[in-house]
Amino acid sequence: MNEIQILIVDYGSQYTLVIGRTLRELGVRSAILPPEKAIYFLSQNTPKGVILSGSHHSVHDVNAPQLPENLDLSGVKYPVLGICYGMQLLSHTLGGVVDRPLLHREYGPAMVSLDVNHPLFLGVEQQTQVWASHGDTVKELPKGFHSIGTTKGYAAMTDAENRILGIQFHPEVVDTKEGKKILQNFLNICETKIDWNPTNIIKEIQKEVLDVVNTSLGKNVILGLSGGVDSTTLAALLAPVLGDKLVCVAIDTGGLREGELAELKINAKSAHVSNLVVISAEDEFIKNISTTTDAQEKRGKFREVYSKIFEEQILKHNAGFMIQGTLATDIIESGEAGKSALIKTHHNVGLLWSVDDLHPFRNLFKYEVREIARTLNLPKEVYERNPFPGPGLYLRVVGVPVSKDYISLVRMADNTVTEIVKKHNLEKEISQLVVCLIGIQSVGVKGDERVYGYSLLVRAVKTIDFMTAQGYYFPENVVNEITSALTQHKEIVRVLFDMTPKPPATTEFE
Ligand code: XMP
């Protein structure tokens, strides 16, 4: 395996893994490590470049994370690029001044003016839109540095040799229009080579899993199959190397959408899964989850039943390993990657199993898994499939305890909206559709009667990686059609549409 070319030091930004993904898109492998682990890495390796990520910290925090003590700042061994907190940390450490203005916080899109003669900004528009998300700013540059970009303050800096660089905005976020070009320029400065492709990743993952599985004598491997792109791709990738040792377990949680179980079975076939076990556990899930309306608690209750069922399967099938299609995004959002803050608990992250737990896709993003699925010749229905949360429709009944009736209602509603979206050929424009029951009663009128009923909420988002998302605006005729179809149900008096972007909202309500 090729050596890691770029070290990304993770200071806990929500976007750190997106930097790694963007570098892979540019064909370059990288390692993302927290500062403490980066020290060890740097003591053993000389990468071709180092990127310092953003952070929710301020350099003035008492416990502000620091630069790895053995990071070479002479520019001799490798170029260094500080992004946001990374730039502030470089400035602060090298004798510049980082200010903490009370009022001037930049958040969201901003225009910057760049020195396009600098190698970092070659080929970039002089005035370009970037994504900024910071409270602190660099007020004075360190000695020997000069500005190569401005907004209201310094947006970018360089040393005289163009080796130690800083940018205040986030090039890895898609809202930075020319961010990818800027990262490509940094790779050019680092003189990296192209070394990432899906075929290599498939081989690496097969080898990684086989090496681990071969250490146990005769133990089988359980894979939680949801029918979604991640677990199906993982099954297709492992089926040829694990053969009969691979036991795929699918649970009918009662929170599945219309026709989803049938689809799962078809997808398992196209992944050449030979051992598929389907467990029906609707009653058990409902009984447990209906005891709370709190979003985190509901997820907790879902996890309890989910892990209990898998533990039973582990015993039954003499398994030594649990393999899941957990992605980098799930790990970041659960606060497990580096130091990123907890947003919500994904159902399949951080569960403790009685056997070894493997997450071979832990460094990959959705679009990369889709690429792997395509490389494995899986059908379009698999690699183009929109994501759906593991706890399923249980997260789509908001504010009232879940019941079989409410789950059927959101299932029907989801199916109705999905069909309307298909009919109007809007599938390509939407990354995910969320239809939920909002458990607040309000007054309506049906026929001549006053009705006191619930609302359904429809939310569609457009996104590349679900780290950020834009709310989708349905055309007016489609809004009317959806509203009319959903209010046919006797208990539904209103249909709400939600276009809030992420952040500040998330895709799901819970
Ligand atoms: P949010 O709501 O955090 O969701 O913007 C991002 C993406 O993740 C999906 N999601 C989950 N997927 N298990 C999963 O496998 C979960 O517990 C879970 N929660 C959210 C969500 O539907 C969206 O695609």
Side-chain angles (χ1 to χ4, degrees):
M1 201 158 72
N2 290 323
E3 288 196 350
I4 295 292
Q5 300 191 77
I6 300 288
L7 167 66
I8 302 169
V9 185
D10 177 25
Y11 289 103
S13 158
Q14 279 286 312
Y15 304 125
T16 306
L17 290 195
V18 188
I19 306 175
R21 183 209 71 190
T22 311
L23 298 190
R24 274 197 297 273
E25 273 177 353
L26 295 169
V28 170
R29 296 188 64 226
S30 57
I32 298 179
L33 298 171
E36 319 82 67
K37 297 232 169 85
I39 296 176
Y40 177 73
F41 178 88
L42 287 171
S43 71
Q44 307 292 312
N45 304 275
T46 306
K48 291 195 167 160
V50 176
I51 294 181
L52 311 169
S53 86
S55 177
H56 50 277
H57 280 283
S58 159
V59 292
H60 300 297
D61 288 351
V62 187
N63 59 348
Q66 301 297 313
L67 293 174
E69 62 207 23
N70 51 353
L71 178 72
D72 176 42
L73 287 176
S74 67
V76 174
K77 287 192 181 163
Y78 36 72
V80 177
L81 172 66
I83 294 175
C84 194
Y85 179 81
M87 165 162 166
Q88 294 157 13
L89 189 59
L90 280 174
S91 305
H92 182 68
T93 312
L94 295 171
V97 177
V98 176
D99 199 13
R100 199 179 217 182
L102 284 176
L103 292 175
H104 174 64
R105 286 178 160 258
E106 263 191 311
Y107 186 74
M111 287 304 286
V112 291
S113 173
L114 301 173
D115 171 0
V116 292
N117 292 319
H118 189 278
L120 191 59
F121 301 130
L122 285 183
V124 176
E125 292 287 317
Q126 200 254 331
Q127 298 275 338
T128 184
Q129 187 193 302
V130 300
W131 179 263
S133 169
H134 59 106
D136 289 2
T137 43
V138 175
K139 198 171 144 207
E140 271 177 43
L141 298 178
K143 216 167 141 232
F145 279 72
H146 63 271
S147 166
I148 47 170
T150 49
T151 37
K152 288 175 190 145
Y154 293 118
M157 67 177 195
T158 182
D159 67 347
E161 284 78 34
N162 300 334
R163 301 283 285 175
I164 310 294
L165 313 163
I167 45 183
Q168 187 52 76
F169 52 88
H170 288 269
E172 69 278 22
V173 174
V174 281
D175 303 75
T176 296
K177 292 257 153 25
E178 299 184 271
K180 209 166 171 182
K181 209 178 272 175
I182 295 172
L183 286 172
Q184 177 64 65
N185 283 339
F186 180 65
L187 294 179
N188 294 347
I189 295 171
C190 299
E191 299 179 7
T192 54
K193 295 189 299 273
I194 297 218
D195 69 348
W196 190 89
N197 73 45
T199 314
N200 289 352
I201 291 289
I202 291 169
K203 285 191 196 136
E204 272 175 37
I205 293 177
Q206 286 174 331
K207 183 174 180 308
E208 183 189 63
V209 172
L210 253 193
D211 283 352
V212 176
V213 172
N214 282 342
T215 58
S216 82
L217 289 177
K219 289 278 185 190
N220 290 318
V221 178
I222 297 240
L223 189 151
L225 193 67
S226 70
V229 57
D230 311 324
S231 56
T232 310
T233 306
L234 194 49
L237 188 154
L238 294 177
V241 287
L242 293 180
D244 279 351
K245 275 181 174 251
L246 182 66
V247 183
C248 291
V249 176
I251 307 180
D252 181 357
T253 63
L256 299 180
R257 287 167 297 180
E258 193 70 45
E260 208 171 359
L261 193 60
E263 227 177 278
L264 180 148
K265 290 179 184 165
I266 295 172
N267 291 347
K269 227 181 217 153
S270 45
H272 302 291
V273 165
S274 50
N275 266 336
L276 175 66
V277 179
V278 180
I279 314 271
S280 294
E282 178 184 20
D283 290 342
E284 206 175 342
F285 275 99
I286 293 224
K287 192 166 155 241
N288 220 36
I289 301 171
S290 62
T291 54
T292 180
T293 53
D294 177 272
Q296 271 302 79
E297 268 182 38
K298 261 165 102 173
R299 283 175 170 273
K301 301 270 177 200
F302 182 89
R303 283 161 64 114
E304 261 170 42
V305 182
Y306 180 88
S307 59
K308 177 178 155 272
I309 293 175
F310 272 101
E311 284 298 345
E312 288 162 6
Q313 295 303 309
I314 287 168
L315 272 183
K316 187 165 171 198
H317 297 283
N318 184 32
F321 307 91
M322 267 298 295
I323 299 205
Q324 293 182 90
T326 317
L327 296 188
T329 353
D330 307 334
I331 295 177
I332 309 175
E333 300 229 326
S334 299
E336 303 264 327
K339 292 184 161 47
S340 37
L342 178 83
I343 296 184
K344 53 177 102 154
T345 315
H346 277 249
H347 77 286
N348 46 359
V349 177
L351 282 175
L352 294 175
W353 302 106
S354 58
V355 292
D356 288 338
D357 189 15
L358 307 176
H359 300 279
F361 286 171
R362 66 194 174 281
N363 292 320
L364 300 179
F365 283 78
K366 199 86 174 183
Y367 94 95
E368 291 168 319
V369 176
R370 291 189 199 283
E371 220 172 289
I372 290 175
R374 236 172 272 147
T375 311
L376 289 166
N377 290 323
L378 284 166
K380 205 162 137 214
E381 290 70 35
V382 172
Y383 63 75
E384 285 190 353
R385 200 171 191 268
N386 282 347
F388 185 61
L393 299 175
Y394 292 116
L395 304 182
R396 306 268 174 95
V397 175
V398 180
V400 276
V402 294
S403 67
K404 277 195 185 172
D405 285 348
Y406 290 153
I407 294 289
S408 308
L409 174 56
V410 284
R411 182 177 294 122
M412 175 280 292
D414 174 84
N415 193 39
T416 305
V417 182
T418 307
E419 290 303 320
I420 295 175
V421 165
K422 272 192 204 151
K423 187 176 111 191
H424 291 274
N425 280 325
L426 298 176
E427 288 160 294
K428 279 257 176 307
E429 311 208 13
I430 292 172
S431 315
Q432 191 170 349
L433 184 67
V434 176
V435 181
C436 17
L437 177 80
I438 301 291
I440 299 170
Q441 286 183 298
S442 70
V443 178
V445 54
K446 292 203 170 194
D448 287 333
E449 294 210 5
R450 177 187 182 279
V451 191
Y452 199 44
Y454 292 130
S455 305
L456 283 167
L457 181 141
V458 179
R459 170 169 175 71
V461 296
K462 280 172 81 102
T463 173
I464 292 180
D465 52 25
F466 287 93
M467 299 293 294
T468 60
Q470 274 87 47
Y472 174 74
Y473 287 72
F474 286 99
E476 197 176 326
N477 59 324
V478 180
V479 167
N480 292 337
E481 195 173 331
I482 291 175
T483 307
S484 152
L486 296 185
T487 48
Q488 298 293 316
H489 193 282
K490 63 180 187 324
E491 273 190 72
I492 300 303
V493 289
R494 276 163 222 275
V495 178
L496 316 172
F497 287 80
D498 174 13
M499 282 80 87
T500 319
K502 172 182 180 175
T506 51
T507 315
E508 301 288 341
F509 268 61
E510 305 200 314

